[in-house]
Every structure is written in structure tokens, then in C-alpha cells.
Amino acid sequence: QEYQAFKRNTIRISKRIGIIAGSVALVAVIAIVTSKVIVPNVRYNNAMNAIKEANYESAVSTLERLDEFKDAKTQLKAAQYAWAESKLKDGDLEGAIQLFKVLGEYGDASSRVQELNNKKTYEQATVEFQNKNYIRAKELFESLGNYSDSAMKVQQCEEVLGEEHYTRAVQALENHDTQTALKEFLLAVPYKDSIVQARSIGKFNEYIKAGYSKVVWLKPDGTLDVVGSDEEMEDVLNWKNIKSISVNGPIAALTTDGKILSTDKWVNIWTKEWNDISEIYLAPPTLISTMHIV
């Protein structure tokens, strides 16, 4: 009798456990279906509706969480692109650029980034020009190459800058400030005759001399550079403390302490004892004939 009672209780408990286990399994299945299908599908539809309503920020935020669900990744790119266009329409140039950057190689996003960056730089350059910051404006327009009318804008900047420097140079000359005048004329090049004025003030002819088959440059540090042919050219490159030069025939130089150096050994011998020389000039070489008396 006790055995029969135990058997009946065992069967009753087993049935209850089976019912509970089935219920748990059913709940688990429902939970999986809900999380993997129903909820993502609702979110997907909400994102599509957000796109239709031009609520791109909400659509993008939702699609980013859907990962591999349906074509969420493709729709995400499309929403980001549309959002970028919307920002551009609203005047948010920087925001549009950042979104197009995120899109990488999607569609023409990369070319749009370049296009908008050029537009941004052009606008910055225009503001600088309007604020009379012509140097900065010129730099920005130059960086744009052939974009829009940037090349023409560069010329306009150069014209204005040239006129400013030229005017300051003339004013400096009127005040007998030749050093400032020279600097300003050089900065004005190629405006008007600025290079001619600079050459006149700087006396460039004193620093660059052209002779037969050679050109000699007296550099600001008192050394020489030579282009052309000369037997003693290597020696010339080692000369120091030079203040003036002559290249008629051999190269000759006057040092700051009044000494003479030359590529002609005879000139060196003849002038060895000379001191405190203030200026040199070698006459052009002449043909000297010698006559032997027998």
C-alpha cells in the first residue's frame, strides 16, 4: 500500500516537472525569438521611419546597434551619407566633412571630403583677404591649386602685397633709410620696377662679377663662389674676409684688412707689400710682345 502511494506521488511529481521544464523551454525560445527577431525588426522599422522623416541622427544610432541584422550596415551608410548632405544644406560644413570621412570609400564620400575641404579652405582664404591678411590669404589660395579662381586670387594678393611693399620702400627712400628700402623693394618683386630699384640700392653689381668664361659671387659672409673655368678656382673658394672683387683677366680680391689676393701668381708677387688698399680694378688683359735683342 505504501509502495503504491509512493508510485502515485512520483508520477504526479514527474508530470509537474515535465510541465515546468516545457514551460521554461518555451519561455527560452520566446526570449530568443524576441531578442533576435522581434526587437531588431522593430528597431529596424523605426530606423527606416526615422530616415523617411529625415531624423538621421536617430536612424544612425539605431542602425549602429543592429549590426548584421538584415541590411542594417548598408542602410547605416546610406543614412550617414544623407545626414552629411543634410548638414551641408544647413550650413554645417565641418559636420558634413566629418560624416563623409566616417564613410571612407562609400560612394563618392572620399571625393566629397576633398571637395568640401577645398571649399572650407577657400572660405577661410576669402575671410583672410577681406580682413587684409594678404600673406595668409595668399598661402591658403596657393594651397588650393586650380580650385575655382584660386590662381587669380593669388595674383590679386601678390598685387596688393607688392603695392604695399613698394609704397613702404619709396617712403623709406624719402627718409634716407636705404636698408629698409632695399628690403621692401625685394619683397615687392615682381611689382612694377621693384627689382630695378633693388639692384640700384643694393649695388648688386659690386657682388656679382662676370669675366671671361667665369662668374664670381662675393657672398655676404665674405667668401667667394665661382662658376666657370679658372686654374686656381679651388684656391678662390678658400678665400675669406673679402670685401670686393675684380674678374678682368685673373680673379682678384680685396680683403677687409686691405690686402690683395689673386689667381695670378705675378699679381700676388707684385702686390705682396701693398697694405691698406681701399679699391681694386684689374684692367683687361692685353697682348704684350717681347723683343729679344741679339
Side-chain angles (χ1 to χ4, degrees), residues 1-293:
Q1 188 176 1
E2 292 179 357
Y3 173 75
Q4 292 298 327
F6 174 76
K7 185 177 179 181
R8 286 194 297 273
N9 288 334
T10 300
I11 293 172
R12 192 182 307 115
I13 292 171
S14 297
K15 288 181 178 179
R16 289 178 179 176
I17 291 174
I19 292 170
I20 292 171
S23 298
V24 170
L26 179 61
V27 169
V29 170
I30 292 173
I32 292 172
V33 171
T34 300
S35 64
K36 297 294 184 180
V37 178
I38 297 175
V39 171
N41 202 59
V42 170
R43 288 176 176 173
Y44 182 89
N45 290 333
N46 288 339
M48 294 302 99
N49 289 330
I51 291 175
K52 291 178 182 179
E53 296 171 0
N55 187 359
Y56 301 113
E57 185 173 5
S58 176
V60 167
S61 176
T62 302
L63 289 167
E64 284 177 335
R65 288 179 292 169
L66 288 175
D67 195 23
E68 300 293 340
F69 185 77
K70 291 186 177 180
D71 61 344
K73 286 189 174 182
T74 300
Q75 294 296 342
L76 173 61
K77 297 285 187 182
Q80 288 172 323
Y81 191 98
W83 192 11
E85 291 287 8
S86 176
K87 283 183 175 291
L88 189 59
K89 185 177 179 181
D90 292 339
D92 185 2
L93 182 60
E94 187 59 38
I97 291 173
Q98 293 307 315
L99 278 170
F100 280 126
K101 280 184 178 179
V102 169
L103 286 166
E105 297 302 317
Y106 176 80
D108 63 346
S110 59
S111 63
R112 295 300 301 278
V113 170
Q114 181 62 49
E115 174 192 344
L116 295 180
N117 275 327
N118 285 341
K119 181 179 179 182
K120 178 181 175 182
T121 301
Y122 186 92
E123 290 177 355
Q124 291 174 339
T126 300
V127 170
E128 295 291 352
F129 187 90
Q130 292 171 346
N131 292 334
K132 299 183 178 181
N133 298 324
Y134 301 114
I135 294 177
R136 179 55 180 160
K138 179 173 176 286
E139 291 173 351
L140 291 171
F141 281 126
E142 284 179 331
S143 70
L144 290 170
N146 294 324
Y147 177 79
S148 187
D149 60 346
S150 294
M152 183 183 73
K153 293 292 186 182
V154 170
Q155 292 179 352
Q156 290 179 356
C157 290
E158 289 177 343
E159 186 75 11
V160 174
L161 288 168
E163 184 177 359
E164 287 184 351
H165 288 302
Y166 194 93
T167 299
R168 285 198 285 267
V170 172
Q171 292 172 346
L173 276 182
E174 292 173 351
N175 295 325
H176 307 290
D177 183 357
T178 54
Q179 184 174 356
T180 299
L182 173 59
K183 176 184 175 182
E184 293 296 335
F185 275 129
L186 288 173
L187 289 172
V189 175
Y191 183 76
K192 288 186 175 179
D193 63 341
S194 53
I195 186 62
V196 175
Q197 295 285 358
R199 286 183 178 278
S200 176
I201 297 172
K203 298 179 181 178
F204 291 159
N205 289 337
E206 294 183 6
Y207 303 111
I208 299 179
K209 297 289 181 70
Y212 179 72
S213 73
K214 58 183 172 288
V215 176
V216 183
W217 172 33
L218 172 52
K219 297 189 287 187
D221 63 358
T223 61
L224 300 181
D225 202 354
V226 184
V227 176
S229 61
D230 196 284
E231 293 180 358
E232 306 296 334
M233 187 178 294
E234 188 172 340
D235 291 340
V236 171
L237 297 177
N238 293 324
W239 291 357
K240 297 179 180 179
N241 302 319
I242 307 302
K243 72 175 185 178
S244 65
I245 53 176
S246 176
V247 296
N248 288 319
I251 299 173
L254 179 63
T255 64
T256 53
D257 59 357
K259 296 287 187 180
I260 293 177
L261 299 174
S262 176
T263 55
D264 187 320
K265 68 176 183 178
W266 293 108
V267 172
N268 286 327
I269 293 173
W270 295 333
T271 62
K272 184 178 181 180
E273 303 300 325
W274 292 6
N275 295 295
D276 302 322
I277 307 301
S278 60
E279 187 176 354
I280 59 168
Y281 176 76
L282 292 183
T286 58
L287 179 61
I288 302 175
S289 60
T290 59
M291 180 174 56
H292 296 273
I293 300 176

